[in-house]
Amino acid sequence: MLKAVVFDDEFIVLKGLTKLIDWSEYGVELAGTAADGLSALETFRKLRPDIVMTDIRMPGMDGLQLIEAIRSEAPDTMCIVFSGYNEYDYVKRAIKLGVVDYLEKPITIVKIREGIQKAVDRIHEMNEMSSLKQKWQQGLLEKRTLDLLLKGEEATGEWAAVFGGDADRVAGVTVLAYSDEDFRLDGRAEYRTVYASNGSESLAVLFHLDSVTDVWETELSSWQSSAVGSGRTYSSVGDIPKSYREALRALRYGRYLEGKGWIRFEDLGDSHSVNPQLSEREEAVLFDMRVGDKDGLMRKLDEYLEEFRNEKLDPEIAEVELLKTVFHGFEVAKETGGNTAEIMGPGYLPQMELRSMQTLDEMAGWLRREMEKIMDWILSVRQRSKHSAVEKAIAYIGDNFGRDLTQQEVADHVEMNATYFSLLFKEQMGISYIKYLTKVRMEKAKELLKEEMPIHEISEKVGYYHARHFSEVFKKQTGMTPGQFRSRGRGT
């Protein structure tokens, strides 16, 4: 509801405007009155009303001086003046000060009503204009941020112009990719979030102000409604495309590994580097190969080959595109650590095979066969190696869970590519490496909580250097804090 105040040194005017006007009819509350100019200014500063109705002739400070002070402090305040002096100079000054209406005394109820309605209408118009301006500015900021995500350094100038004064305060940027349209972070002073979309991709860009803190990580650690992937944090705004690609990779693999919740790009392993030259289609094909989804792979290849035939490319260009796809497939095969020479045998020269083909259909059929061979080999290697490798990893986790134990370190221990290991572990155990490690740590914590050891020491023993983080994870896993769990065990 809007707020209004009335200032007049005549008691009967104040009484009449208080009693005879149904302010609520206009969506207005009469919040205060004053009988002199100095009290009126004090009342205004205390209440910050939307509408001021004031007499011109008042002791202490006249109405026009009062309006001048009010407009200098709050230029959007709607002011209505009334006076028994119908002098041109007063009218001219009032108009110059931007009053909504000038009413001559004796004022009538009809005139007051018209003045109030005029002020209310003006406020609504201003609010509507302000809302439209904000939407326009927000839309422009989203567009400039998307340009920044796609172009990086070359788009920083136009982005900074729209981002405003905070641009000089940005100490780092982190990109989040998410699958739930309702995903939103709480507003924080430590960072400013801009939400954007690129086709089907939903993105949140965190611009860390003044310094990079872990506030956003604490907030995300409890998110369980859907999958959210985060890229690494970069100190330079121009490096934002890297965090963008990493966030998309984390989301894609996070959906498979975790199902929902937050997964960081760093948790995928050091070898999970992003090749900026890969198209979205190529990324999707390699993803299916890594997770062992042969049906998905063949379906995507058929879609790609249908487009390939329709494009009617020159033979030389077609050869390069198809060879590139096969070589990417071999890169995924190498991640298994197996001997890729087993796939096609020694002396394999795919480029020579391609050049011997006469039609696009022959070339398309060749690609499909080659990729299927690679996929079948990957699946056979997985089947042979996953049991022993995961057993070795579990033993290593059991011996080392009490310190900072990265997935990369465990993958190195079992002599596997970290990406391949993470997917193999999920396939064998049914849960991701991160969830398994957390489970091991929480089970050990439960054992230690039965003893008299302080909670902060238990936190360190199970691999958490901050007791607060440990408590948050423990509660998330068990539904109670470590202290509550200990009390329940004692029966207290």
Side-chain angles (χ1 to χ4, degrees), residues 121-359:
D121 290 345
R122 186 78 61 85
I123 290 171
H124 289 330
E125 287 173 10
M126 285 180 59
N127 288 343
E128 191 173 329
M129 289 295 293
S130 177
S131 176
L132 289 172
K133 184 177 179 181
Q134 286 178 359
K135 288 179 181 178
W136 178 80
Q137 289 176 330
Q138 185 61 32
L140 185 59
L141 178 58
E142 289 176 11
K143 185 178 186 308
R144 292 291 177 256
T145 300
L146 183 57
D147 289 342
L148 195 63
L149 289 164
L150 298 173
K151 301 175 184 177
E153 190 65 42
E154 68 177 271
T156 55
E158 291 184 337
W159 163 81
V162 178
F163 199 75
D166 283 345
D168 293 332
R169 297 174 56 201
V170 175
V173 288
T174 310
V175 179
L176 310 179
Y178 55 92
S179 55
D180 184 348
E181 291 182 359
D182 294 330
F183 172 77
R184 286 294 182 272
L185 291 173
D186 293 337
R188 298 278 187 169
E190 291 86 353
Y191 57 82
R192 185 172 162 190
T193 308
V194 177
Y195 297 92
S197 61
N198 185 24
S200 61
E201 301 166 1
S202 297
L203 309 162
V205 183
L206 275 60
F207 294 96
H208 305 278
L209 302 178
D210 301 322
S211 63
V212 179
T213 68
D214 64 355
V215 173
W216 67 278
E217 294 181 336
T218 302
E219 188 176 348
L220 266 182
S221 63
S222 60
W223 179 263
Q224 282 298 310
S225 299
S226 58
V228 177
S230 64
R232 287 178 288 196
T233 299
Y234 290 87
S235 58
S236 171
V237 172
D239 285 331
I240 199 172
K242 298 178 185 176
S243 188
Y244 170 37
R245 290 190 291 269
E246 291 166 356
L248 293 178
R249 173 71 66 88
L251 177 61
R252 186 191 296 276
Y253 284 85
R255 282 184 183 135
Y256 177 79
L257 294 168
E258 306 286 354
K260 59 183 180 179
W262 171 41
I263 186 163
R264 307 183 313 157
F265 177 78
E266 297 94 317
D267 293 335
L268 300 178
D270 294 345
S271 64
H272 234 292
S273 58
V274 176
N275 183 349
Q277 305 304 318
L278 288 179
S279 67
E280 177 63 24
R281 187 197 68 241
E282 289 168 334
E283 281 276 10
V285 165
L286 300 188
F287 173 80
D288 284 343
M289 297 186 78
R290 287 191 174 109
V291 302
D293 183 1
K294 182 177 177 180
D295 290 340
L297 169 67
M298 302 314 292
R299 188 166 54 250
K300 288 185 178 66
L301 280 174
D302 287 339
E303 292 170 359
Y304 163 56
L305 291 173
E306 183 64 30
E307 294 175 12
F308 175 79
R309 290 185 183 93
N310 293 333
E311 286 178 2
K312 296 182 172 52
L313 300 173
D314 290 338
E316 293 81 6
I317 296 175
E319 180 183 317
V320 170
E321 287 298 311
L322 296 182
L323 281 173
K324 187 170 68 169
T325 302
V326 169
F327 288 143
H328 287 322
F330 270 109
E331 289 301 313
V332 175
K334 288 177 183 177
E335 292 174 2
T336 66
N339 180 12
T340 54
E342 295 174 355
I343 304 175
M344 303 301 173
Y348 175 62
L349 297 172
Q351 62 271 31
M352 298 304 294
E353 290 187 19
L354 263 181
R355 283 176 189 166
S356 67
M357 296 175 185
Q358 304 298 313
T359 67

